[in-house]
Amino acid sequence: MTTETERLQDLIARILPLDQAAMQSAAFRQNTLTKPPGSLGRLEKLSIQMAGITGQPIPRILHKVVAVMAGDHGVVAEGVSAYPQEVTPQMVLNMLGGGAAINVLARAHGARIALVDMGVAANLPTHPQLIDKKVAKGTRNIARGPAMSPEQAIQALLAGADVVTAQLSEGLDILATGEMGIGNTTPSAAIAAAILQRPAEEIVGRGTGVDEEGLTRKLAAVNLALKTNKPDPKDGLEVLTTVGGFEIAGLAGAILAAAAHRKAVVIDGFISTAAALIAVTLAPNARAYLIAGHRSQERGHRLMLEWLGLEPLVDLDLRLGEGTGAVLALPLVEAACKLLAEMATFAEAGVTDKEENEKVA
Amino acid sequence: MTTETERLQDLIARILPLDQAAMQSAAFRQNTLTKPPGSLGRLEKLSIQMAGITGQPIPRILHKVVAVMAGDHGVVAEGVSAYPQEVTPQMVLNMLGGGAAINVLARAHGARIALVDMGVAANLPTHPQLIDKKVAKGTRNIARGPAMSPEQAIQALLAGADVVTAQLSEGLDILATGEMGIGNTTPSAAIAAAILQRPAEEIVGRGTGVDEEGLTRKLAAVNLALKTNKPDPKDGLEVLTTVGGFEIAGLAGAILAAAAHRKAVVIDGFISTAAALIAVTLAPNARAYLIAGHRSQERGHRLMLEWLGLEPLVDLDLRLGEGTGAVLALPLVEAACKLLAEMATFAEAGVTDKEENEKVA
C-alpha cells in the first residue's frame, strides 16, 4: 500500500492556498459596481472566495456536479437508525430512477449527479449512472472495533478523489457533496466528537428520526466507539479508519481532489461536514475551498461548522442529506459570481458614485 | 375619486383566505414522499403554503415576475441619504440597460422585470421596458407634512395593482417585489414605526450607508414626520398618504392585486416590507400570500418581519434592495414546489417506509 499512501500524500501536497491576487482583483471590482459598497453582503465575500479558489478575478460557473456517495454501516446493529439497512440500496435505486429529492434539485439547478457505491451492503445492479467503487459491503461496527482497515480508508479516499478527477474531464467548476447510508449520522457524530474533542452529547442527534430510546442507543454507540477506538483527533486517517464510513471517506477524498484542482466544494449537512472535518484534518489548506451549503437541523452541525470556520448559506431546518442542502445553495454561489461578472460599474452606467458625490458636496 | 375608492375596496374584498383543501392535500403528499417525514423542513411548509395560495394541490411555477417600482422622496431635503437624488433616474436607466444587480439576478433565475416609474423626480425617456405610472415628480417632504394627497395614494395603489394585472396576461405565477428610490428607507422606517408602534430608534438604519451625522438627521426626520403627521397605525391609507412614497404605494397595490389573483408574493427587504405592512394593514388576508425573501441588514427589518409573522428564506447581510433579496429566494420557492411535484413516493419507488418498518419490527 506504500504507493497508495504516496498517492494520498501527493494529493494533499497539491492543495495550495487561495490566489491572493485574484481575490484582490475581485474585491476591487466589487467596489466599482453600481451598488452601495458592501450592500451585497455575503455574496460579495463569496465572489471573492470563488476568485481565490479558481485563481480567476472573474470566476465563472458552467458545470456543476453533485457527488452522492453511498455506504452502509455495521453500527446499525446497535439499533441507531429509524430505518432498516435495506433502505440504502433502495434509495440508490430511487436515485437511479430520478425520484429522490437530490434528483429533483439537481434537475432544477442544472447539476450533474455522480452517484457512487462506496460500500453498500448489497449487490447493486450494473447501471451506466452508478459508479462502482465498493470497498466492502458496509463497515464493521464502530462500537466494537475499527470501522475499516487503514488500507481500506486510503482506498476509499483515493476512490472518492478519482471520481472527481474523472468528472473534471466532463466539466466541473463546482462540486457539491451528498450521501446516502442508513446509520451514517452515527459515524459522523463519532468523527465530530473525536475531532472537535467535544462530548458526544453535544453532537448526537436524531438523524432520520429515531425515538427517545433510539437516541439513547445511538449516544451509547458513539461513546462506546470513541472509548473502544480512542482515535487521535489530530490524525484524520486514524479517525476515519476507526469511526468513519466508506461514503464519508469517499467524500473526504472528493473534497481533497476538488481543492487540489482549485474547484470550490459546497458541502451539505451533517455527514458531508464530517467528511470535511476529515479532509481538513488531513489537509488544512482544503478548508479555504469549502462553502457551507446549509445548516442542518441535526444537533452538532452548528459546532462542526464553527470548527471549520464556515457560515452556512441556507438555514431551512433541513435534515435529509443526499446533498440537498448543498445543491439548494448552488444558485446563491452562481448568483455571487454572476453579479461580479455582469453588473455595470459606476463609470460604465454613468451613475454618480457615493465618493464622487462627496467630492462634489 | 369615489370610483377609485370603490376600485380599491373591491380589490381588497377579492383577497380570500388560503385554500385549506389544497393545503391538506399537499401536506398529505409530503408524507408519502421518499424522505423521512419533515426532513425537508421549511421547504415542506413552503410547498403547502404555495398550494394554499394557488388552490392547486401540486402548485407549479412557470412565470416569475419582479416588479421594480421607482420613486423619489421630498424628505431627501433633510439630508437623509448618502447619494444624491439624481441617482434614482440614473439607476432606472442602468436597469433599462441591464447592468443593475436586479438585472443580473433576474436573468440568472429566469424572472421577467416589470420596471415602473411611480414617481421619479425627473423626465425619464419613453422606453418599451419602462412602465409609466408617474403620479408626481417625487413626494413632498414627510418631515414637514403629508407625503401625498389621499387621491394620489389611491391612484398609486391602483397603478401598482394594474401593473400586476397587466403582467398576468403574459404569465405570472409568482411575484417578487423590488424598488429604487434615493431616500426611500426614510419613509419606510416611518411607515414601520407608525404601524408597529415602535420608537423610530429601533427601526431607522443606515440605508445605502449614511454616516453618523446622516443617521442622526434621518432619525430626526422620521421622528418629525411622525410628530407632524400623526398617522393612525390602523389606517393603512392614512399611513401611506402621510409618511409613504409612490413606489411603496405601487408595491402595496401590486401585493394586493397578486393576492387577489391567488399569486404568491416574495417580498424583498426594508422598503418592500414597508409596502407589505401597508398592504396587510389595508387587507389582513393578504398576509398569507407573502413569502419573505430575505432578512435585510437594515435595522428594523427583523421587527417588521416579526410583525408580519414571516421568517425570511435567505439571510446574507444584503441591504441593496431593487428586489435582489426576493429574486435570490425564488429558486428556493421553485425547489419547494418541484420537490412536492417530482419526488417519488415510497410506494412508487419501492422504498421501505419508516412506519412499515416499525410494523415489521
Side-chain angles (χ1 to χ4, degrees), chain B residues 250-264:
Chain B
L251 288 174
I255 291 168
L256 295 176
H261 287 97
R262 306 202 76 95
K263 306 298 179 190

Side-chain angles (χ1 to χ4, degrees), chain A residues 319-359:
Chain A
R319 51 180 175 82
L320 178 54
E322 297 182 7
T324 49
V327 173
L328 275 172
L330 285 179
L332 296 171
V333 187
E334 292 185 275
C337 293
K338 286 182 175 175
L339 286 162
L340 179 65
E342 299 177 23
M343 274 183 75
T345 64
F346 280 101
E348 284 165 0
V351 174
T352 308
D353 197 354
K354 193 178 170 184
E355 286 175 27
E356 199 179 317
N357 167 31
E358 282 168 355
K359 259 178 259 161

Side-chain angles (χ1 to χ4, degrees), chain B residues 19 45 53 74 82 113 115 125 155 159 162 174 177 201 215 225 227 229 250 266 285 296 311 329-330 344 349 359:
Chain B
D19 184 326
K45 292 174 191 149
I53 289 171
I113 296 178
L115 180 59
Q155 180 190 343
D162 287 344
I174 190 162
T177 66
E201 287 74 6
L215 187 63
K227 197 178 157 195
N229 289 291
V266 183
N285 275 350
S296 167
E311 188 73 35
L330 285 178
K359 259 180 257 157

Side-chain angles (χ1 to χ4, degrees), chain A residues 92-165:
Chain A
V92 170
L93 295 177
N94 191 21
M95 288 175 184
L96 290 172
I102 190 61
N103 299 100
V104 177
L105 295 178
R107 278 197 298 272
H109 297 337
R112 211 161 70 231
I113 296 178
L115 181 60
V116 189
D117 176 5
M118 288 298 308
V120 177
N123 293 318
L124 288 167
T126 302
H127 189 288
Q129 298 301 316
L130 181 62
I131 302 165
D132 180 10
K133 299 281 184 186
K134 197 193 289 278
V135 178
K137 285 189 175 173
T139 53
R140 290 194 297 264
N141 183 349
I142 60 172
R144 311 291 158 175
M148 63 189 85
S149 68
E151 291 76 18
Q152 286 178 319
I154 293 174
Q155 179 190 343
L157 283 163
L158 292 173
D162 288 344
V163 167
V164 166
T165 310

Side-chain angles (χ1 to χ4, degrees), chain B residues 234-266:
Chain B
K234 307 288 182 198
D235 186 338
L237 195 61
E238 186 175 303
V239 175
L240 179 62
T241 301
T242 54
V243 299
F246 295 130
E247 80 279 43
I248 297 169
L251 288 174
I255 291 168
L256 295 176
H261 287 97
R262 306 202 76 95
K263 306 298 179 190
V265 183
V266 183

Side-chain angles (χ1 to χ4, degrees), chain A residues 82 86 90 99 209 344 352 354 357, chain B residues 39 82 86 90 99 209 344 352 354 357:
Chain A
E86 72 203 49
Q90 287 172 349
T352 308
K354 193 178 170 184
N357 167 31
Chain B
S39 61
E86 72 204 49
Q90 287 171 349
T352 308
K354 193 177 169 184
N357 167 32

